[in-house]
Amino acid sequence: MFWPMLAVAMGFLGLAVLAVFAVQVFVEAQRLGRQVTDSARRISRAAEDLERASESAARAVDAL
């Protein structure tokens, strides 16, 4: 009777460990998603700044 109960207990322990790892993966995936979103915003803002700068440079060249 000892071995079957030990096997069941080890099974539950294994599931608990897997659940902890699953939560950690979920949290890290959310963090990565936030970083990707932030990076996309920064890239978009830099592209807009570059576009404005190129328009300004084009007008300066046309004025010559």
Short mmCIF file of all heavy atoms in Angstrom, two decimals:
data_model
loop_
_atom_site.label_atom_id
_atom_site.label_comp_id
_atom_site.label_asym_id
_atom_site.label_seq_id
_atom_site.Cartn_x
_atom_site.Cartn_y
_atom_site.Cartn_z
N MET A 1 0.82 -1.20 0.00
CA MET A 1 0.00 0.00 0.00
C MET A 1 0.86 1.27 0.00
O MET A 1 0.43 2.32 -0.44
CB MET A 1 -0.92 -0.05 1.22
CG MET A 1 -1.96 1.02 1.24
SD MET A 1 -3.09 0.73 -0.12
CE MET A 1 -4.30 1.93 0.23
N PHE A 2 2.09 1.13 0.52
CA PHE A 2 2.97 2.29 0.59
C PHE A 2 3.39 2.78 -0.80
O PHE A 2 3.37 3.98 -1.07
CB PHE A 2 4.21 1.94 1.42
CG PHE A 2 5.26 3.01 1.40
CD1 PHE A 2 5.08 4.19 2.09
CD2 PHE A 2 6.43 2.85 0.66
CE1 PHE A 2 6.04 5.18 2.06
CE2 PHE A 2 7.39 3.83 0.62
CZ PHE A 2 7.20 5.00 1.34
N TRP A 3 3.77 1.84 -1.67
CA TRP A 3 4.29 2.23 -2.99
C TRP A 3 3.24 2.89 -3.87
O TRP A 3 3.56 3.89 -4.53
CB TRP A 3 4.91 1.02 -3.68
CG TRP A 3 6.15 0.55 -2.98
CD1 TRP A 3 6.30 -0.61 -2.30
CD2 TRP A 3 7.37 1.26 -2.83
NE1 TRP A 3 7.56 -0.68 -1.75
CE2 TRP A 3 8.25 0.47 -2.07
CE3 TRP A 3 7.83 2.50 -3.28
CZ2 TRP A 3 9.53 0.85 -1.74
CZ3 TRP A 3 9.12 2.88 -2.96
CH2 TRP A 3 9.96 2.08 -2.20
N PRO A 4 2.00 2.39 -3.90
CA PRO A 4 1.00 3.09 -4.72
C PRO A 4 0.72 4.51 -4.22
O PRO A 4 0.58 5.45 -5.02
CB PRO A 4 -0.24 2.22 -4.61
CG PRO A 4 0.26 0.87 -4.27
CD PRO A 4 1.49 1.10 -3.45
N MET A 5 0.70 4.69 -2.91
CA MET A 5 0.46 6.03 -2.37
C MET A 5 1.65 6.95 -2.64
O MET A 5 1.47 8.14 -2.94
CB MET A 5 0.16 5.95 -0.87
CG MET A 5 -1.17 5.27 -0.60
SD MET A 5 -1.70 5.38 1.09
CE MET A 5 -2.03 7.09 1.27
N LEU A 6 2.84 6.40 -2.57
CA LEU A 6 4.03 7.18 -2.90
C LEU A 6 4.01 7.58 -4.38
O LEU A 6 4.33 8.72 -4.72
CB LEU A 6 5.30 6.38 -2.59
CG LEU A 6 6.61 7.11 -2.88
CD1 LEU A 6 6.75 8.33 -1.99
CD2 LEU A 6 7.78 6.16 -2.72
N ALA A 7 3.59 6.66 -5.23
CA ALA A 7 3.51 6.97 -6.67
C ALA A 7 2.48 8.07 -6.93
O ALA A 7 2.72 8.98 -7.73
CB ALA A 7 3.16 5.71 -7.45
N VAL A 8 1.35 8.01 -6.26
CA VAL A 8 0.32 9.05 -6.43
C VAL A 8 0.84 10.39 -5.92
O VAL A 8 0.66 11.44 -6.57
CB VAL A 8 -0.99 8.64 -5.72
CG1 VAL A 8 -1.96 9.80 -5.66
CG2 VAL A 8 -1.62 7.45 -6.43
N ALA A 9 1.49 10.37 -4.77
CA ALA A 9 2.04 11.61 -4.21
C ALA A 9 3.10 12.20 -5.15
O ALA A 9 3.13 13.42 -5.36
CB ALA A 9 2.63 11.34 -2.84
N MET A 10 3.95 11.37 -5.71
CA MET A 10 4.97 11.85 -6.64
C MET A 10 4.33 12.40 -7.92
O MET A 10 4.81 13.38 -8.48
CB MET A 10 5.96 10.73 -6.98
CG MET A 10 6.81 10.27 -5.80
SD MET A 10 7.81 11.58 -5.12
CE MET A 10 9.09 11.66 -6.33
N GLY A 11 3.24 11.78 -8.33
CA GLY A 11 2.52 12.29 -9.49
C GLY A 11 1.96 13.68 -9.25
O GLY A 11 2.08 14.58 -10.08
N PHE A 12 1.35 13.88 -8.08
CA PHE A 12 0.83 15.21 -7.74
C PHE A 12 1.96 16.22 -7.60
O PHE A 12 1.82 17.37 -8.03
CB PHE A 12 0.02 15.15 -6.45
CG PHE A 12 -1.38 14.66 -6.65
CD1 PHE A 12 -1.84 13.56 -5.95
CD2 PHE A 12 -2.25 15.28 -7.53
CE1 PHE A 12 -3.13 13.08 -6.13
CE2 PHE A 12 -3.53 14.83 -7.72
CZ PHE A 12 -3.98 13.72 -7.02
N LEU A 13 3.07 15.80 -7.02
CA LEU A 13 4.22 16.69 -6.90
C LEU A 13 4.74 17.08 -8.28
O LEU A 13 5.06 18.25 -8.52
CB LEU A 13 5.32 16.01 -6.09
CG LEU A 13 6.57 16.84 -5.83
CD1 LEU A 13 6.22 18.07 -5.00
CD2 LEU A 13 7.62 16.00 -5.13
N GLY A 14 4.80 16.13 -9.18
CA GLY A 14 5.23 16.43 -10.54
C GLY A 14 4.30 17.42 -11.23
O GLY A 14 4.75 18.34 -11.92
N LEU A 15 3.01 17.24 -11.05
CA LEU A 15 2.05 18.18 -11.63
C LEU A 15 2.20 19.56 -11.03
O LEU A 15 2.07 20.58 -11.73
CB LEU A 15 0.62 17.67 -11.44
CG LEU A 15 0.22 16.49 -12.33
CD1 LEU A 15 -1.18 16.01 -11.94
CD2 LEU A 15 0.26 16.89 -13.78
N ALA A 16 2.45 19.62 -9.72
CA ALA A 16 2.64 20.92 -9.07
C ALA A 16 3.88 21.63 -9.63
O ALA A 16 3.84 22.84 -9.89
CB ALA A 16 2.76 20.74 -7.56
N VAL A 17 4.95 20.90 -9.83
CA VAL A 17 6.17 21.49 -10.40
C VAL A 17 5.90 21.99 -11.82
O VAL A 17 6.31 23.10 -12.19
CB VAL A 17 7.33 20.47 -10.37
CG1 VAL A 17 8.51 20.96 -11.20
CG2 VAL A 17 7.76 20.19 -8.94
N LEU A 18 5.20 21.20 -12.60
CA LEU A 18 4.86 21.63 -13.96
C LEU A 18 3.98 22.87 -13.95
O LEU A 18 4.13 23.76 -14.80
CB LEU A 18 4.16 20.49 -14.72
CG LEU A 18 5.06 19.33 -15.14
CD1 LEU A 18 4.21 18.24 -15.79
CD2 LEU A 18 6.14 19.80 -16.08
N ALA A 19 3.06 22.95 -13.00
CA ALA A 19 2.19 24.13 -12.89
C ALA A 19 3.01 25.38 -12.56
O ALA A 19 2.77 26.46 -13.13
CB ALA A 19 1.13 23.90 -11.84
N VAL A 20 3.98 25.24 -11.67
CA VAL A 20 4.84 26.38 -11.33
C VAL A 20 5.61 26.85 -12.56
O VAL A 20 5.69 28.05 -12.85
CB VAL A 20 5.80 26.02 -10.17
CG1 VAL A 20 6.89 27.07 -10.01
CG2 VAL A 20 5.02 25.83 -8.88
N PHE A 21 6.17 25.90 -13.30
CA PHE A 21 6.90 26.27 -14.51
C PHE A 21 5.98 26.91 -15.55
O PHE A 21 6.36 27.84 -16.25
CB PHE A 21 7.62 25.07 -15.11
CG PHE A 21 8.83 24.63 -14.32
CD1 PHE A 21 9.14 23.30 -14.20
CD2 PHE A 21 9.64 25.56 -13.71
CE1 PHE A 21 10.25 22.89 -13.48
CE2 PHE A 21 10.76 25.17 -12.98
CZ PHE A 21 11.07 23.82 -12.87
N ALA A 22 4.76 26.41 -15.66
CA ALA A 22 3.81 26.98 -16.61
C ALA A 22 3.49 28.43 -16.25
O ALA A 22 3.39 29.30 -17.13
CB ALA A 22 2.54 26.15 -16.64
N VAL A 23 3.34 28.71 -14.97
CA VAL A 23 3.07 30.09 -14.54
C VAL A 23 4.26 30.98 -14.85
O VAL A 23 4.10 32.11 -15.33
CB VAL A 23 2.72 30.13 -13.03
CG1 VAL A 23 2.71 31.55 -12.50
CG2 VAL A 23 1.37 29.47 -12.79
N GLN A 24 5.47 30.48 -14.62
CA GLN A 24 6.66 31.27 -14.93
C GLN A 24 6.77 31.56 -16.42
O GLN A 24 7.09 32.69 -16.81
CB GLN A 24 7.92 30.54 -14.46
CG GLN A 24 8.10 30.53 -12.97
CD GLN A 24 9.34 29.77 -12.54
OE1 GLN A 24 9.91 29.01 -13.33
NE2 GLN A 24 9.76 29.95 -11.31
N VAL A 25 6.48 30.59 -17.24
CA VAL A 25 6.52 30.80 -18.69
C VAL A 25 5.48 31.83 -19.11
O VAL A 25 5.74 32.72 -19.93
CB VAL A 25 6.31 29.46 -19.45
CG1 VAL A 25 6.04 29.70 -20.92
CG2 VAL A 25 7.52 28.56 -19.26
N PHE A 26 4.28 31.74 -18.53
CA PHE A 26 3.22 32.69 -18.85
C PHE A 26 3.63 34.12 -18.48
O PHE A 26 3.44 35.05 -19.27
CB PHE A 26 1.94 32.29 -18.12
CG PHE A 26 0.79 33.21 -18.35
CD1 PHE A 26 0.12 33.21 -19.56
CD2 PHE A 26 0.38 34.09 -17.37
CE1 PHE A 26 -0.94 34.06 -19.78
CE2 PHE A 26 -0.67 34.95 -17.58
CZ PHE A 26 -1.34 34.94 -18.79
N VAL A 27 4.20 34.29 -17.30
CA VAL A 27 4.62 35.62 -16.86
C VAL A 27 5.71 36.17 -17.77
O VAL A 27 5.67 37.35 -18.18
CB VAL A 27 5.09 35.57 -15.39
CG1 VAL A 27 5.79 36.85 -14.98
CG2 VAL A 27 3.90 35.30 -14.47
N GLU A 28 6.68 35.34 -18.11
CA GLU A 28 7.75 35.79 -18.99
C GLU A 28 7.24 36.11 -20.40
O GLU A 28 7.71 37.05 -21.04
CB GLU A 28 8.88 34.76 -19.05
CG GLU A 28 9.64 34.62 -17.75
CD GLU A 28 10.33 35.92 -17.33
OE1 GLU A 28 10.88 36.63 -18.19
OE2 GLU A 28 10.31 36.21 -16.13
N ALA A 29 6.27 35.35 -20.87
CA ALA A 29 5.70 35.62 -22.20
C ALA A 29 4.96 36.95 -22.19
O ALA A 29 5.05 37.71 -23.17
CB ALA A 29 4.76 34.49 -22.60
N GLN A 30 4.27 37.25 -21.11
CA GLN A 30 3.60 38.55 -21.01
C GLN A 30 4.62 39.68 -20.99
O GLN A 30 4.44 40.72 -21.64
CB GLN A 30 2.74 38.63 -19.76
CG GLN A 30 1.42 37.94 -19.88
CD GLN A 30 0.54 38.22 -18.68
OE1 GLN A 30 1.02 38.44 -17.57
NE2 GLN A 30 -0.76 38.20 -18.89
N ARG A 31 5.70 39.49 -20.25
CA ARG A 31 6.74 40.51 -20.18
C ARG A 31 7.37 40.73 -21.55
O ARG A 31 7.61 41.87 -21.97
CB ARG A 31 7.80 40.12 -19.16
CG ARG A 31 8.74 41.26 -18.82
CD ARG A 31 9.67 40.87 -17.72
NE ARG A 31 10.70 40.02 -18.30
CZ ARG A 31 11.84 39.76 -17.71
NH1 ARG A 31 12.08 40.21 -16.51
NH2 ARG A 31 12.73 39.00 -18.31
N LEU A 32 7.64 39.65 -22.26
CA LEU A 32 8.20 39.76 -23.60
C LEU A 32 7.23 40.50 -24.53
O LEU A 32 7.64 41.33 -25.34
CB LEU A 32 8.51 38.38 -24.16
CG LEU A 32 9.05 38.33 -25.59
CD1 LEU A 32 10.38 39.07 -25.68
CD2 LEU A 32 9.21 36.89 -26.04
N GLY A 33 5.95 40.20 -24.40
CA GLY A 33 4.95 40.90 -25.22
C GLY A 33 4.94 42.39 -24.96
O GLY A 33 4.83 43.20 -25.89
N ARG A 34 5.07 42.77 -23.68
CA ARG A 34 5.12 44.20 -23.36
C ARG A 34 6.37 44.85 -23.94
O ARG A 34 6.32 45.97 -24.45
CB ARG A 34 5.07 44.41 -21.85
CG ARG A 34 3.69 44.22 -21.26
CD ARG A 34 3.62 44.70 -19.82
NE ARG A 34 4.53 43.96 -18.94
CZ ARG A 34 4.20 42.87 -18.27
NH1 ARG A 34 2.98 42.37 -18.38
NH2 ARG A 34 5.07 42.28 -17.48
N GLN A 35 7.49 44.15 -23.89
CA GLN A 35 8.73 44.69 -24.46
C GLN A 35 8.63 44.84 -25.97
O GLN A 35 9.10 45.84 -26.53
CB GLN A 35 9.92 43.80 -24.10
CG GLN A 35 10.33 43.88 -22.65
CD GLN A 35 11.46 42.94 -22.32
OE1 GLN A 35 11.81 42.06 -23.11
NE2 GLN A 35 12.04 43.10 -21.14
N VAL A 36 8.01 43.89 -26.63
CA VAL A 36 7.84 43.96 -28.08
C VAL A 36 6.94 45.14 -28.44
O VAL A 36 7.23 45.90 -29.38
CB VAL A 36 7.28 42.64 -28.63
CG1 VAL A 36 6.82 42.79 -30.07
CG2 VAL A 36 8.32 41.54 -28.54
N THR A 37 5.87 45.32 -27.68
CA THR A 37 4.97 46.45 -27.93
C THR A 37 5.70 47.77 -27.74
O THR A 37 5.56 48.69 -28.55
CB THR A 37 3.76 46.38 -26.98
OG1 THR A 37 3.09 45.13 -27.20
CG2 THR A 37 2.79 47.52 -27.22
N ASP A 38 6.48 47.87 -26.67
CA ASP A 38 7.24 49.10 -26.42
C ASP A 38 8.26 49.35 -27.53
O ASP A 38 8.40 50.48 -28.00
CB ASP A 38 7.95 48.98 -25.06
CG ASP A 38 8.64 50.27 -24.68
OD1 ASP A 38 8.04 51.35 -24.84
OD2 ASP A 38 9.80 50.18 -24.21
N SER A 39 8.93 48.31 -27.98
CA SER A 39 9.90 48.46 -29.07
C SER A 39 9.21 48.89 -30.36
O SER A 39 9.74 49.73 -31.10
CB SER A 39 10.64 47.15 -29.30
OG SER A 39 11.39 46.81 -28.16
N ALA A 40 8.05 48.34 -30.63
CA ALA A 40 7.32 48.72 -31.84
C ALA A 40 6.92 50.19 -31.78
O ALA A 40 7.00 50.91 -32.80
CB ALA A 40 6.08 47.85 -32.01
N ARG A 41 6.51 50.65 -30.60
CA ARG A 41 6.17 52.08 -30.46
C ARG A 41 7.39 52.95 -30.71
O ARG A 41 7.30 53.99 -31.38
CB ARG A 41 5.61 52.35 -29.06
CG ARG A 41 4.18 52.01 -28.91
CD ARG A 41 3.60 52.63 -27.63
NE ARG A 41 2.48 51.81 -27.18
CZ ARG A 41 2.44 51.14 -26.04
NH1 ARG A 41 3.44 51.22 -25.19
NH2 ARG A 41 1.40 50.42 -25.73
N ARG A 42 8.53 52.55 -30.14
CA ARG A 42 9.74 53.33 -30.32
C ARG A 42 10.16 53.37 -31.79
O ARG A 42 10.59 54.41 -32.31
CB ARG A 42 10.88 52.76 -29.49
CG ARG A 42 10.73 53.00 -28.01
CD ARG A 42 11.91 52.44 -27.27
NE ARG A 42 11.76 52.61 -25.85
CZ ARG A 42 12.67 52.26 -24.96
NH1 ARG A 42 13.79 51.68 -25.36
NH2 ARG A 42 12.46 52.45 -23.68
N ILE A 43 10.06 52.23 -32.46
CA ILE A 43 10.43 52.19 -33.88
C ILE A 43 9.51 53.07 -34.70
O ILE A 43 9.94 53.81 -35.59
CB ILE A 43 10.42 50.74 -34.39
CG1 ILE A 43 11.58 49.96 -33.78
CG2 ILE A 43 10.46 50.68 -35.91
CD1 ILE A 43 11.54 48.47 -34.04
N SER A 44 8.22 53.03 -34.38
CA SER A 44 7.25 53.86 -35.10
C SER A 44 7.54 55.35 -34.88
O SER A 44 7.51 56.14 -35.83
CB SER A 44 5.84 53.52 -34.62
OG SER A 44 4.91 54.36 -35.22
N ARG A 45 7.84 55.70 -33.64
CA ARG A 45 8.16 57.09 -33.33
C ARG A 45 9.43 57.53 -34.06
O ARG A 45 9.50 58.64 -34.62
CB ARG A 45 8.32 57.25 -31.83
CG ARG A 45 8.26 58.65 -31.33
CD ARG A 45 8.24 58.70 -29.83
NE ARG A 45 8.36 57.34 -29.31
CZ ARG A 45 8.18 56.99 -28.05
NH1 ARG A 45 7.87 57.89 -27.18
NH2 ARG A 45 8.32 55.76 -27.64
N ALA A 46 10.44 56.66 -34.09
CA ALA A 46 11.69 56.99 -34.80
C ALA A 46 11.45 57.13 -36.30
O ALA A 46 12.03 58.01 -36.95
CB ALA A 46 12.74 55.92 -34.52
N ALA A 47 10.59 56.29 -36.85
CA ALA A 47 10.27 56.38 -38.28
C ALA A 47 9.57 57.70 -38.59
O ALA A 47 9.86 58.34 -39.61
CB ALA A 47 9.41 55.21 -38.70
N GLU A 48 8.66 58.10 -37.72
CA GLU A 48 7.98 59.39 -37.91
C GLU A 48 8.97 60.54 -37.83
O GLU A 48 8.91 61.48 -38.64
CB GLU A 48 6.87 59.55 -36.89
CG GLU A 48 5.70 58.63 -37.10
CD GLU A 48 4.72 58.66 -35.92
OE1 GLU A 48 4.97 59.39 -34.94
OE2 GLU A 48 3.72 57.93 -35.99
N ASP A 49 9.88 60.48 -36.85
CA ASP A 49 10.90 61.53 -36.73
C ASP A 49 11.79 61.57 -37.98
O ASP A 49 12.12 62.65 -38.47
CB ASP A 49 11.77 61.29 -35.49
CG ASP A 49 11.02 61.52 -34.20
OD1 ASP A 49 9.92 62.11 -34.23
OD2 ASP A 49 11.54 61.08 -33.14
N LEU A 50 12.16 60.40 -38.48
CA LEU A 50 12.99 60.34 -39.68
C LEU A 50 12.24 60.90 -40.88
O LEU A 50 12.82 61.62 -41.71
CB LEU A 50 13.42 58.90 -39.94
CG LEU A 50 14.34 58.66 -41.12
CD1 LEU A 50 15.65 59.42 -40.94
CD2 LEU A 50 14.60 57.17 -41.28
N GLU A 51 10.96 60.60 -40.97
CA GLU A 51 10.16 61.12 -42.09
C GLU A 51 10.08 62.64 -42.03
O GLU A 51 10.24 63.33 -43.04
CB GLU A 51 8.77 60.51 -42.04
CG GLU A 51 7.91 60.87 -43.24
CD GLU A 51 6.56 60.18 -43.21
OE1 GLU A 51 6.41 59.19 -42.48
OE2 GLU A 51 5.66 60.66 -43.92
N ARG A 52 9.85 63.17 -40.83
CA ARG A 52 9.80 64.63 -40.69
C ARG A 52 11.14 65.27 -41.04
O ARG A 52 11.20 66.31 -41.71
CB ARG A 52 9.40 65.01 -39.26
CG ARG A 52 7.91 65.06 -39.09
CD ARG A 52 7.52 65.63 -37.73
NE ARG A 52 6.97 64.51 -36.97
CZ ARG A 52 7.48 64.00 -35.86
NH1 ARG A 52 8.54 64.53 -35.32
NH2 ARG A 52 6.92 62.99 -35.27
N ALA A 53 12.22 64.63 -40.60
CA ALA A 53 13.55 65.18 -40.88
C ALA A 53 13.85 65.13 -42.38
O ALA A 53 14.45 66.06 -42.93
CB ALA A 53 14.61 64.39 -40.10
N SER A 54 13.44 64.05 -43.04
CA SER A 54 13.71 63.97 -44.48
C SER A 54 12.87 64.99 -45.25
O SER A 54 13.35 65.57 -46.23
CB SER A 54 13.43 62.55 -44.98
OG SER A 54 12.06 62.25 -44.88
N GLU A 55 11.64 65.25 -44.80
CA GLU A 55 10.83 66.28 -45.46
C GLU A 55 11.47 67.64 -45.28
O GLU A 55 11.54 68.46 -46.22
CB GLU A 55 9.42 66.28 -44.89
CG GLU A 55 8.58 65.09 -45.29
CD GLU A 55 7.26 65.04 -44.54
OE1 GLU A 55 7.01 65.91 -43.68
OE2 GLU A 55 6.47 64.12 -44.84
N SER A 56 11.98 67.89 -44.07
CA SER A 56 12.63 69.16 -43.81
C SER A 56 13.90 69.30 -44.67
O SER A 56 14.16 70.38 -45.23
CB SER A 56 12.99 69.24 -42.32
OG SER A 56 13.80 70.34 -42.07
N ALA A 57 14.65 68.23 -44.79
CA ALA A 57 15.87 68.28 -45.60
C ALA A 57 15.52 68.46 -47.08
O ALA A 57 16.20 69.19 -47.80
CB ALA A 57 16.67 67.00 -45.41
N ALA A 58 14.46 67.84 -47.53
CA ALA A 58 14.05 67.97 -48.92
C ALA A 58 13.63 69.41 -49.22
O ALA A 58 13.97 69.97 -50.28
CB ALA A 58 12.91 67.01 -49.24
N ARG A 59 12.92 70.03 -48.28
CA ARG A 59 12.54 71.42 -48.48
C ARG A 59 13.76 72.33 -48.50
O ARG A 59 13.81 73.30 -49.28
CB ARG A 59 11.58 71.86 -47.36
CG ARG A 59 10.14 71.54 -47.69
CD ARG A 59 9.18 72.15 -46.70
NE ARG A 59 8.70 71.05 -45.85
CZ ARG A 59 8.87 70.94 -44.55
NH1 ARG A 59 9.48 71.87 -43.87
NH2 ARG A 59 8.42 69.89 -43.89
N ALA A 60 14.74 72.03 -47.66
CA ALA A 60 15.96 72.83 -47.63
C ALA A 60 16.72 72.72 -48.94
O ALA A 60 17.28 73.69 -49.43
CB ALA A 60 16.84 72.42 -46.45
N VAL A 61 16.76 71.51 -49.51
CA VAL A 61 17.45 71.32 -50.78
C VAL A 61 16.70 72.02 -51.90
O VAL A 61 17.32 72.63 -52.79
CB VAL A 61 17.61 69.80 -51.07
CG1 VAL A 61 18.06 69.57 -52.50
CG2 VAL A 61 18.58 69.18 -50.08
N ASP A 62 15.37 71.97 -51.87
CA ASP A 62 14.57 72.63 -52.92
C ASP A 62 14.74 74.15 -52.85
O ASP A 62 14.65 74.83 -53.87
CB ASP A 62 13.09 72.29 -52.75
CG ASP A 62 12.78 70.86 -53.21
OD1 ASP A 62 13.61 70.27 -53.94
OD2 ASP A 62 11.73 70.32 -52.81
N ALA A 63 14.97 74.66 -51.65
CA ALA A 63 15.12 76.11 -51.49
C ALA A 63 16.44 76.60 -52.10
O ALA A 63 16.57 77.77 -52.41
CB ALA A 63 15.05 76.49 -50.01
N LEU A 64 17.39 75.70 -52.26
CA LEU A 64 18.69 76.13 -52.84
C LEU A 64 18.49 76.31 -54.30
O LEU A 64 18.76 76.92 -55.11
CB LEU A 64 19.76 75.07 -52.59
CG LEU A 64 20.12 74.87 -51.13
CD1 LEU A 64 21.14 73.70 -51.02
CD2 LEU A 64 20.75 76.11 -50.54
#
